[in-house]
Amino acid sequence: MVNLFEAKELTRYFDMGRNERVHAVENVSLDIAEKEIVGLVGESGSGKSTFGKTVLGLHDKTSGMVKYRGEKLPQKYRSADFQRLATKMQMIFQDPYSSLNPRMTVGELVAEGIRLHPQLSSADIKEKVALWLNRVGLQADHMSRFPHEFSGGQRQRIGIARALILEPEFVVCDEPISALDVSVQAQVINLLGELKESMGLTLLFIAHDLSMVRYVSDRMAVMYLGSLVEVGKADGVYFDPKHPYTEVLIGSNPEPDPNMERNRPSTAIQGEIPSPVNVPVGCRFANRCPKVMSVCRDITPLLIPLKDSDREVACHLYS
Ligand code: SF4
């Protein structure tokens, strides 16, 4: 398979002043093949969304690089870069309400990106917006309404139409269902699945819900405190996790079946995720790991391929 997207040792720090620095994303390398869906999981504060925004240029890169179809993308985007790359890469945001300007109509919101297209007349734009509203399960006459007139699920459909009307190849879906009621989550996932198939999209799917990520993804990448700890085929990672963090993360994920959930032993992750300002020396998971060894507190484990496997794991148990 051809790689559409490659991140190499991508790092994003935020300087907070007084010599404090948030290590939000550190040395993350991840390739995504054309038409592949990679699910990115981890607790809140693990750096998933920062990684997604950095690959799209919404945050400048502190170091490392991103390649798209072999082309190295700028470290810091200018407005011309956003315009050029908007038709290739887009983002679907977590909170459909705060990502939509409440003073703009749905028609204006969905058309915002294609208005930059010099060859399209107003009539063409209106026709395209109507088509996309239908495509995401809304109606053409919703164009004149405002975001507050819609439910959460409908607002996420508007967000999807707004991102996909530009017909990108690569889309970062940043927790696209976590702000929605459980009853509409499956509808939005099914819609994304249909559009992925019909448009041949490549997706980076960021989410908390591991069973949902397993369901939609070809591969799964697990992030902890700004670094990747495990990458592999989604079913393999979910049913046979190798890294102790992946194991407890999957163990603490609620079962969709209420009976199974009631009878499941509690496997909550112990302790707190360390501050990304004071990243521990050695393995970042050492203070919470049930299998910690003395080497773990001194030497940082690297993400390496396991023997005879497609899996990559960053843990001294396998080095
Ligand atoms: Fe646990 Fe050590 Fe592996 Fe880190 S390197 S996950 S502390 S066993």
Side-chain angles (χ1 to χ4, degrees), residues 31 170 229 298:
D31 299 342
F170 177 58
V229 297
D298 296 329

Side-chain angles (χ1 to χ4, degrees), residues 5 64 82 94 108-109 152 173 184 230 235 243 246 253 273 287 293 307 319:
F5 160 91
F82 283 113
Q94 173 178 9
E108 288 166 340
L109 286 164
C173 303
V184 292
E230 182 159 4
D235 278 355
H243 194 283
T246 316
N253 194 52
I273 189 166
N287 69 323
M293 306 171 285
K307 201 164 174 266
S319 55

Side-chain angles (χ1 to χ4, degrees), residues 243-245 283-286 289 291-293 296 301 314-317:
H243 194 283
Y245 175 61
C283 173
R284 293 172 180 208
F285 188 55
C289 179
K291 298 177 182 171
V292 62
M293 306 171 285
C296 307
C315 174
H316 290 306
L317 291 171

Side-chain angles (χ1 to χ4, degrees), residues 297-310:
R297 300 196 191 275
D298 296 329
I299 299 173
T300 305
L302 300 175
L303 188 73
I304 49 167
L306 293 190
K307 201 164 174 266
D308 303 325
S309 159
D310 65 348

Side-chain angles (χ1 to χ4, degrees), residues 224-273:
Y224 184 76
L225 201 59
S227 293
L228 288 183
V229 297
E230 182 159 4
V231 182
K233 289 204 173 111
D235 278 355
V237 173
Y238 190 82
F239 291 114
D240 181 24
K242 300 292 184 198
H243 194 283
Y245 175 61
T246 316
E247 228 172 289
V248 287
L249 191 66
I250 288 168
S252 62
N253 194 52
E255 280 287 343
D257 179 336
N259 289 328
M260 285 177 76
E261 174 62 17
R262 216 170 293 125
N263 298 325
R264 193 170 63 100
S266 169
T267 47
I269 310 175
Q270 301 299 314
E272 291 289 317
I273 189 166

